[in-house]
Amino acid sequence: MNPERALQEIGVAEMPLETFSQTLFRHGLRLEREKTTTLQVNVGNLCNQSCRHCHLNAGPDRREIMNSETVDGVISYAARNGFQAIDITGGAPELNPNLEKLIEGLSSCAPRILVRSNLTALTENKRENLIRLLQAYQVVVIASFPSFDEHQADAQRGPGTFRTSLATLKKLNSLGYGVEESGLELHLVCNPTGAFLPSSQALIEKRFREVLLKRWGIVFNRLFSFANMPLGRFRQWLLQSGNLESYLQRLGSSFNPCAVEGLMCRTLVSVSWDGYLYDCDFNLARDLPMGGRRIHVSEMEGPPAPGSPIAVADHCYTCTAGGGFT
Amino acid sequence: METYYKPEDLRKFEEIGKEAPDLAKKFFEYYNAVFAEGALTEREKALIALAVAHAVQCPYCIDAFTQACLEKGSNLAEMTEAIHVVTAIRGGASLVHGVQMRNVAQKLSM
């Protein structure tokens, strides 16, 4: 019995979860857009894995991927705006045949390009050209690595993914990724392998750094720990496993008002595979478009206006639980 | 089915302070201080708590500290080993009393 938890839950846990908007109002907070500095590009739901925590239901059977015309539209939009960073995600971005064109096109539009990788799609089918391109443009690799325990990692991401991920990390290290002063950044993302919240980021980063180096000689730059979003396949699993209600309560009772100021949705705009704009990738998964209406990237001249409201729903509690989601 | 142990009762833990608020306040402050990062990490402390929860057979503690251990980054193998440690001590504590039994038996026997 953990009284800290019990005390956190006073007045919250025993009442039905109030809406996220109500919670913001109760704390006197408003969630509005600021200057947009990051463009997130979701190039599609096609993935070689079917992770059980995926908020997008991405998988090998999904056919929605960003086509060449939309890629052109995204590059044009990025060129019209001075984003500080462009974050390419999926699905598995590596499976989109237009990825190389997208990276080349965006490289002159922002000083920092990031690609999210599940670490298995990057090395399957000998994607040497893509890896060389990432190196050449000093693209930051953000890699999913939920646990250094093989059983936990494979339970979340599928059999055999853990060992393949280790091999890919070693390969990336051999190319300079994650190695100090190489100019090639390799960051890890760690999502809990179940219906519980993540550890403190600083503590888990320290432990992963020690264990990965000691056991496998692997190095990385930073580790980010994020709570799982109760959407998509993860929500289905929560429901089937009888964890949904307690997980939502846990997120709600862990609401940290201080996390609201630093939420990524304030400074990010997310483009879906078919070119529509959202306040974040999670609102994309929930189909909650930016500004309450579907706006195509080709219609958008500049970045979203500062001060405009951000679409919220109960999944937003995930980003305000504990330390928050950046 | 009615049961003496109800998971939702864990959330009512703070109600224990209604009759003796000063003592409860002291206890919870002490409790939170104990589990804060110190010479031992929060993760290590949660593993100890999980093991002790099994020794004292408290279902509330097992529920709370299983979750705490996972959240602090422990895996099932580590948590299982922690329980074996407390089981070994608990079993050993019984077995070592066999020395007393032998002493008494030797004294009584010809």
Side-chain angles (χ1 to χ4, degrees), chain A residues 71-324:
Chain A
V71 163
D72 289 337
V74 169
I75 294 169
S76 171
Y77 180 61
R80 296 195 296 272
N81 297 280
F83 294 113
Q84 290 171 16
I86 299 177
D87 176 5
I88 301 171
T89 187
E94 299 94 327
L95 302 192
N96 187 317
N98 299 304
L99 178 63
E100 293 180 24
K101 173 184 170 178
L102 180 66
I103 292 171
E104 285 176 330
L106 292 176
S107 62
S108 58
C109 302
R112 196 169 163 81
I113 310 286
L114 306 90
V115 167
R116 310 242 175 179
S117 173
N118 64 18
L119 289 176
T120 61
L122 190 58
T123 46
E124 70 171 20
N125 297 331
K126 301 201 181 299
R127 293 196 166 85
E128 299 299 331
N129 287 346
L130 174 61
I131 293 173
R132 273 195 291 273
L133 188 80
L134 297 178
Q135 271 185 295
Y137 287 106
Q138 295 194 315
V139 174
V140 178
V141 175
I142 312 283
S144 303
F145 195 80
S147 173
F148 49 75
D149 177 84
E150 184 171 1
H151 175 76
Q152 282 186 325
D154 282 0
Q156 182 190 78
R157 287 154 38 88
T161 54
F162 179 74
R163 287 173 188 243
T164 306
S165 298
L166 287 180
T168 305
L169 286 174
K170 285 180 183 174
K171 177 170 179 135
L172 289 170
N173 278 175
S174 73
L175 299 171
Y177 267 102
V179 178
E180 264 185 64
E181 297 180 9
S182 67
L184 297 171
E185 295 176 48
L186 171 63
H187 306 298
L188 303 186
V189 169
C190 175
N191 285 83
T193 56
F196 51 91
L197 299 185
S199 322
S200 139
Q201 192 160 284
L203 293 177
I204 199 168
E205 179 181 283
K206 181 169 177 273
R207 189 149 179 258
F208 270 55
R209 199 179 295 290
E210 287 168 359
V211 172
L212 287 181
L213 184 62
K214 187 177 166 190
R215 291 191 192 166
W216 299 290
I218 290 169
V219 294
F220 60 92
N221 297 102
R222 294 290 315 276
L223 179 143
F224 304 100
S225 59
F226 298 142
N228 289 317
M229 192 59 60
L231 296 172
R233 198 175 289 122
F234 185 61
R235 190 180 187 91
Q236 290 164 24
W237 175 79
L238 287 170
L239 195 60
Q240 287 161 4
S241 60
N243 283 306
L244 181 60
E245 189 182 342
S246 59
Y247 187 72
L248 294 178
Q249 289 285 357
R250 186 93 175 94
L251 292 177
S253 65
S254 303
F255 177 78
N256 174 9
C258 299
V260 174
E261 192 179 344
L263 289 178
M264 62 173 181
C265 53
R266 288 182 180 276
T267 56
L268 173 147
V269 60
S270 180
V271 187
S272 63
W273 65 273
D274 52 356
Y276 289 93
L277 301 178
Y278 296 83
D279 292 308
C280 71
D281 200 52
F282 309 116
N283 280 1
L284 186 162
R286 271 286 293 267
D287 198 21
L288 289 174
M290 188 177 73
R293 68 184 185 91
R294 280 166 68 81
I295 306 167
H296 197 267
V297 68
S298 58
E299 303 169 46
M300 195 80 179
E301 272 305 314
S308 50
I310 293 169
V312 297
D314 293 347
H315 64 273
C316 300
Y317 279 117
T318 316
C319 294
T320 55

